[in-house]
Amino acid sequence: QVQLVESGGGSVQTGGSLRLSCAFTGNRIRSYSLGWFRQAPGKELEFVSAIDSDGRSTYADSAKGRFHISRDKAKNTLSLQLFSLNPEDPAMYYCAAGQYVADKVRALEYNYWGPGAQVTVSS
C-alpha cells in the first residue's frame, strides 16, 4: 500500500524559505506522477506543482520562479523548495501520487495523499 508523509513545514517570515519533503513508501516512486497541492482556511484545494515519471515539471502561476519541485528516486522522496514566501502562501501543503495522471493540475487524478504539512508566513 502506497503511503505518503510530508515533513518540513513550519513558520517563516515574509521573504523566507522552506523545504517540504514527502516520504513515499509501498512502491517505487519512479513510475508515479507526483504533485503538491495546498489548501488555505476557507479556500479550495489548489494545485501548486507536479513532476511526472519522466521528470517533467509543471507549476501553478503563483509558484513559477519561486518554488522548485524535485524527486529523488534513490531515496524515494519528493521535495518542494519554497522561496520568497509571501502572505498568499500560508496553507496546508499536501503531496500526492498517481500512476495514471492525465491532467497534473487536477486533484482527482491522484490516488494517494499525505496528511499535509502546515506552512505559516508572518510579516
Side-chain angles (χ1 to χ4, degrees):
Q1 178 70 19
V2 170
Q3 290 189 323
L4 307 175
V5 178
E6 302 91 343
S7 61
S11 180
V12 295
Q13 291 188 325
T14 297
S17 302
L18 278 175
R19 183 182 180 91
L20 302 179
S21 294
C22 177
F24 183 106
T25 59
N27 208 328
R28 301 305 302 173
I29 201 172
R30 60 174 175 261
S31 61
Y32 286 77
S33 289
L34 308 162
W36 286 97
F37 291 76
R38 67 185 184 184
Q39 188 168 28
K43 294 188 177 181
E44 294 186 351
L45 189 66
E46 175 188 23
F47 170 76
V48 177
S49 182
I51 186 167
D52 65 18
S53 56
D54 293 323
R56 293 170 296 202
S57 58
T58 305
Y59 296 91
D61 287 343
S62 60
K64 287 179 182 176
R66 298 192 302 126
F67 296 175
H68 177 68
I69 191 170
S70 61
R71 177 186 58 180
D72 189 326
K73 295 180 183 179
K75 295 182 179 179
N76 235 33
T77 58
L78 172 71
S79 295
L80 184 68
Q81 189 80 39
L82 313 172
F83 298 102
S84 301
L85 286 162
N86 63 51
E88 299 296 316
D89 295 319
M92 186 71 80
Y93 283 70
Y94 300 93
C95 64
Q99 283 188 295
Y100 309 106
V101 175
D103 185 351
K104 296 176 187 177
V105 306
R106 191 166 175 258
L108 290 176
E109 299 270 346
Y110 296 85
N111 306 103
Y112 305 101
W113 291 79
Q118 184 69 48
V119 172
T120 304
V121 180
S122 59
S123 57

